[in-house]
Amino acid sequence: MKKIIESFITEVGQRNTHEPEFMQAVREVAENVIPYIVTQDIYHGKNILMRMAEPERVVMFRVPWIDDTGEIQVNRGYRIEMNSAIGPYKGGLRFHESVNLSILKFLAFEQVFKNALTTLPMGGGKGGADFNPKGKSDGEVMRFCQSFMTELFRHIGPNRDIPAGDIGVGGREIGYMFGQYKRLKNEFTGVLTGKGISWGGSLIRPEATGYGAVYFAENMLQTRGDSFKNKEVVISGSGNVAQYAAEKCIQLGAKVLTLSDSSGYIYDPEGIDAEKLAFVMDLKNRTRGRISAYVNAYPKASFHKGKRPWEVPCAIALPCATQNELDESDAKTLTSNGCFCVSEGANMPSTPKAIKVFHAHKVLYAPGKASNAGGVAVSGLEMAQNSLRYNWTREEVDTRLQAIMKDIHESCIKYGTEKGHINYEKGANIAGFVKVADAMLAQGVV
Ligand code: NDP
Ligand code: 2IT
């Protein structure tokens, strides 16, 4: 088995040199799915995983724009259209200085499996640019978004490819991009998700990823007759996903101890309550400040510069910042401090060695493609509402989100149950694979 997996990885690696994040995501899937494929005759001789590891299409383009001093800047834009077997390409856009082909291909590959798990008809894609929104004025962000969409618009559409937000892309950026798409096409369509409520957005979409990651963790805790009540929770990040994960934890009676950004983490031993979270939301979303400012407002808290929050003892950890932000030594620290539940709000935040530590300690560990699927699931519900030209209430969307997270949890149990342990990583990868692979088989050599 090891030989089959290694020869597959070698072949994919030869075609994708210098793409470590993409190869990390492919290896994780291959290690979980190939042992399953060999037991299933229908997949033999179809080269199905190799086909899934090759994007259907990659678009790369120049994004020129003028900054506030009148200088011409240039960035690189991308859209990876990974797989459309079960629906149009769907996935976010990331604006961050680290963005490159490897990072977007890993995200697009993960998205294919994640979207399949949501039970909704969505293929997988991802895009973005190496643009750093930090410190940019509203005008600069708008001009960048307009230039980005001036090329992207010809590749997307409500039945072709529907982008949304991710790191560095929230409601403001979606608004600027939607406005430019509408001018170029002279059409009002649901081409992006994460839109404002008065122009086609869905209630609960901003909350969905964070809430979903907590709902998924709740489902995992229930398998042990446990809950969030009075649990200490450590969260990384302080953006969209982290904020709403924290909100749901607080609503469920947990004590949230940390939040972070790329400069460090804040630790509040008294817990971040609803009022303190409102301060964080204003700080991050309106004034676009740094999380370190929390300690000026709440002096009993401390700021740990350049550090990650995993050293703070907790029962539950929710990584909600970025890829590879939790390594083997962090995982060992967490488990030795009693952490027994990890639900990933971010995409691929735990390194492969960290995941091994979680499995060895029988931690309730959910990979992002299962636990953060609530965001794209509510994006799917936004698309459905746009097609219906109708809006569901908050309660309706939240009820559907909870049902979807429960369904994903059940799919993981179906394919991931091992002796005395649920391997959610294996369960999510196989369940996602089966749905997409069966559709591809039915469609011929695609
Ligand atoms: P935001 O841009 O709103 O927030 C990102 C947060 O992560 C910020 O606190 C940011 O800090 C921190 N961060 C980003 N890069 C790094 C880094 N290299 N090192 C340390 N911290 C970092 O993004 P989101 O909250 O939307 O996304 C967070 C994660 O969730 C990502 O992995 C994303 O792919 C994933 N995700 C998002 C979904 C969504 O609907 N938005 C859906 C599913 C997954 P700083 O400000 O210092 O950069
Ligand atoms: O990683 C993700 O699932 C997202 N950034 C959300 C994608 C979407 O289309 O809502």
Side-chain angles (χ1 to χ4, degrees):
M1 186 61 60
K2 216 173 163 352
K3 246 171 106 181
I4 303 175
I5 295 169
E6 287 315 317
S7 99
F8 173 81
I9 293 293
T10 303
E11 194 177 336
V12 179
Q14 280 162 353
R15 210 181 277 145
N16 300 284
T17 47
H18 313 299
E19 295 186 7
E21 294 86 2
F22 177 59
M23 290 309 299
Q24 182 182 334
V26 170
R27 176 179 280 280
E28 181 199 301
V29 169
E31 286 178 349
N32 284 283
V33 166
I34 290 176
Y36 175 78
I37 292 178
V38 300
T39 68
Q40 304 292 312
D41 287 350
I42 54 162
Y43 303 124
H44 292 177
K46 304 291 186 190
N47 222 7
I48 195 92
L49 196 56
M50 191 60 80
R51 284 191 266 158
M52 287 168 74
E54 192 61 24
E56 289 179 13
R57 189 176 300 108
V58 175
V59 188
M60 287 171 64
F61 51 94
R62 180 203 302 157
V63 188
W65 56 282
I66 299 176
D67 70 19
D68 284 347
T69 68
E71 293 274 325
I72 297 173
Q73 301 290 338
V74 59
N75 285 96
R76 185 174 290 175
Y78 303 81
R79 187 70 182 166
I80 318 294
E81 296 182 334
M82 199 75 193
N83 195 303
S84 62
I86 64 168
Y89 309 108
K90 179 84 194 90
L93 296 170
R94 178 176 290 192
F95 291 168
H96 193 267
E97 61 275 21
S98 65
V99 160
N100 59 33
L101 200 52
S102 174
I103 289 178
L104 293 182
K105 278 172 68 182
F106 116 64
L107 289 162
F109 186 70
E110 293 267 302
Q111 199 81 44
V112 172
F113 295 82
K114 183 196 304 191
N115 293 5
L117 287 168
T118 64
T119 71
L120 302 173
M122 298 182 288
K126 199 88 189 188
D130 59 355
F131 172 74
N132 177 4
K134 282 196 198 88
K136 302 288 192 297
S137 70
D138 267 0
E140 288 176 322
V141 170
M142 182 184 75
R143 290 194 292 280
F144 177 81
C145 288
Q146 290 181 337
S147 181
F148 182 82
M149 187 51 83
T150 300
E151 174 55 34
L152 186 69
F153 91 101
R154 62 187 94 249
H155 308 289
I156 62 176
N159 295 307
R160 179 181 297 172
D161 186 349
I162 306 92
D166 192 80
I167 291 178
V169 177
R172 172 181 65 166
E173 292 74 18
I174 294 291
Y176 293 149
M177 286 191 275
F178 181 79
Q180 185 71 352
Y181 182 88
K182 192 160 57 61
R183 291 168 78 196
L184 291 163
K185 294 285 280 194
N186 195 22
E187 274 175 15
F188 193 108
T189 61
V191 68
L192 293 157
T193 60
K195 299 185 290 297
I197 296 304
S198 62
W199 41 281
S202 175
L203 290 164
I204 304 281
R205 177 61 190 89
E207 294 89 339
T209 311
Y211 280 16
V214 174
Y215 292 150
F216 196 92
E218 249 192 323
N219 277 284
M220 292 199 292
L221 292 166
Q222 275 163 17
T223 65
R224 295 190 186 169
D226 214 334
S227 76
F228 268 90
K229 189 111 196 110
N230 299 325
K231 294 288 185 308
E232 296 196 313
V233 182
V234 161
I235 299 179
S236 66
S238 50
N240 172 266
V241 180
Q243 290 170 18
Y244 289 103
E247 183 170 280
K248 187 52 71 180
C249 288
I250 296 165
Q251 287 171 8
L252 295 176
K255 188 174 179 186
V256 176
L257 297 175
T258 68
L259 286 169
S260 74
D261 60 23
S262 53
S263 312
Y265 77 89
I266 58 104
Y267 168 51
D268 188 334
E270 293 183 346
I272 301 164
D273 60 17
E275 188 203 309
K276 295 172 181 172
L277 184 61
F279 167 84
V280 172
M281 288 185 175
D282 187 63
L283 172 75
K284 300 302 289 189
N285 308 344
R286 195 179 59 81
T287 59
R288 300 187 187 270
R290 307 298 298 161
I291 198 66
S292 54
Y294 183 95
V295 300
N296 304 331
Y298 303 104
K300 284 186 186 151
S302 48
F303 176 62
H304 302 261
K305 194 169 174 226
K307 291 195 142 187
R308 302 191 287 206
W310 316 124
E311 60 194 19
V312 175
C314 64
I316 300 168
L318 305 176
C320 297
T322 193
Q323 65 274 359
N324 293 325
E325 56 161 319
L326 195 166
D327 64 18
E328 183 181 22
S329 114
D330 298 323
K332 285 181 176 161
T333 307
L334 279 168
T335 50
S336 66
N337 283 335
C339 173
F340 68 94
C341 178
V342 178
S343 183
E344 296 183 341
N347 285 305
M348 210 167 76
S350 307
T351 65
K353 284 183 176 165
I355 297 172
K356 284 206 168 68
V357 173
F358 293 145
H359 287 322
H361 286 81
K362 304 247 184 289
V363 168
L364 294 166
Y365 162 72
K369 59 170 78 78
S371 47
N372 74 35
V376 74
V378 174
S379 278
L381 300 180
E382 182 172 330
M383 289 162 67
Q385 293 170 81
N386 292 162
S387 299
L388 291 169
R389 299 193 186 283
Y390 192 70
N391 293 311
W392 294 324
T393 63
R394 251 189 113 75
E395 290 68 32
E396 273 173 299
V397 179
D398 194 35
T399 303
R400 284 174 202 263
L401 170 62
Q402 292 189 43
I404 289 170
M405 298 317 294
K406 195 168 173 16
D407 257 2
I408 299 173
H409 185 260
E410 276 161 20
S411 297
C412 292
I413 290 184
K414 178 172 175 192
Y415 291 103
T417 299
E418 293 173 345
K419 238 176 148 181
H421 178 58
I422 302 162
N423 183 335
Y424 289 92
E425 180 201 15
K426 182 169 118 186
N429 283 315
I430 297 177
F433 168 81
V434 166
K435 183 156 182 196
V436 178
D438 290 359
M440 287 176 74
L441 286 185
Q443 293 168 23
V445 179
V446 292

